[in-house]
Amino acid sequence: MSLEEHQDALELIMSKYRKQMLQLLQGRKGEDAEPVLEVHQANSLEIASEIDRVCEMGEVMRKAIQVDDDEFFKVQEKLAQLELENKELRELLSISKESFEVGREDLPDCEA
């Protein structure tokens, strides 16, 4: 996805560059090529700036995804722990109830 964004940005920049170069060449056919070189250098700096920006955005997205994945796994782990604890507590409660009922059956009736 980052590569596609990078390629799209480069295509946009290059199309603008080509358009400007064509306009420059058509308007200044007889003039020196030196101004064209300056425009080319300026466009190169703009392209480099855009590339850096796209790369920074990609890195920020990767970090955000990593943080999100880490948080998701922490929540999943905590959920699994709680489910296991719940199951164990229910088993203890069941054992306690059975023990209490067996103890009540063994006691003689005191109402007589």
Side-chain angles (χ1 to χ4, degrees):
M1 179 160 61
S2 293
L3 179 59
E4 287 178 14
E5 290 174 356
H6 179 70
Q7 287 174 337
D8 290 344
L10 283 177
E11 286 177 34
L12 175 67
I13 292 167
M14 288 306 294
S15 69
K16 287 182 180 180
Y17 171 73
R18 287 185 195 104
K19 183 178 176 183
Q20 288 178 351
M21 291 302 291
L22 183 60
Q23 289 173 349
L24 263 174
L25 291 175
Q26 287 175 347
R28 300 181 183 187
K29 283 188 179 181
E31 292 185 17
D32 220 8
E34 188 108 359
V36 173
L37 180 60
E38 291 174 11
V39 170
H40 174 69
Q41 288 173 339
N43 284 337
S44 294
L45 291 174
E46 185 180 331
I47 291 170
S49 172
E50 289 293 320
I51 290 170
D52 289 342
R53 198 171 120 236
V54 168
C55 290
E56 287 174 12
M57 288 174 17
E59 188 61 33
V60 167
M61 284 188 250
R62 275 193 278 291
K63 287 179 182 178
I65 289 169
Q66 183 63 44
V67 167
D68 191 42
D69 286 347
D70 290 347
E71 188 63 28
F72 174 77
F73 290 128
K74 285 179 185 176
V75 168
Q76 288 295 97
E77 183 179 340
K78 186 67 174 178
L79 181 62
Q81 274 182 330
L82 290 173
E83 286 174 346
L84 180 63
E85 182 180 344
N86 188 2
K87 180 181 175 186
E88 290 173 352
L89 288 172
R90 286 181 186 273
E91 288 175 4
L92 287 173
L93 180 63
S94 173
I95 292 170
S96 176
K97 282 182 179 178
E98 289 173 6
S99 170
F100 181 72
E101 288 174 2
V102 167
R104 282 183 72 199
E105 291 173 0
D106 290 344
L107 290 177
D109 285 337
C110 294
E111 295 178 18

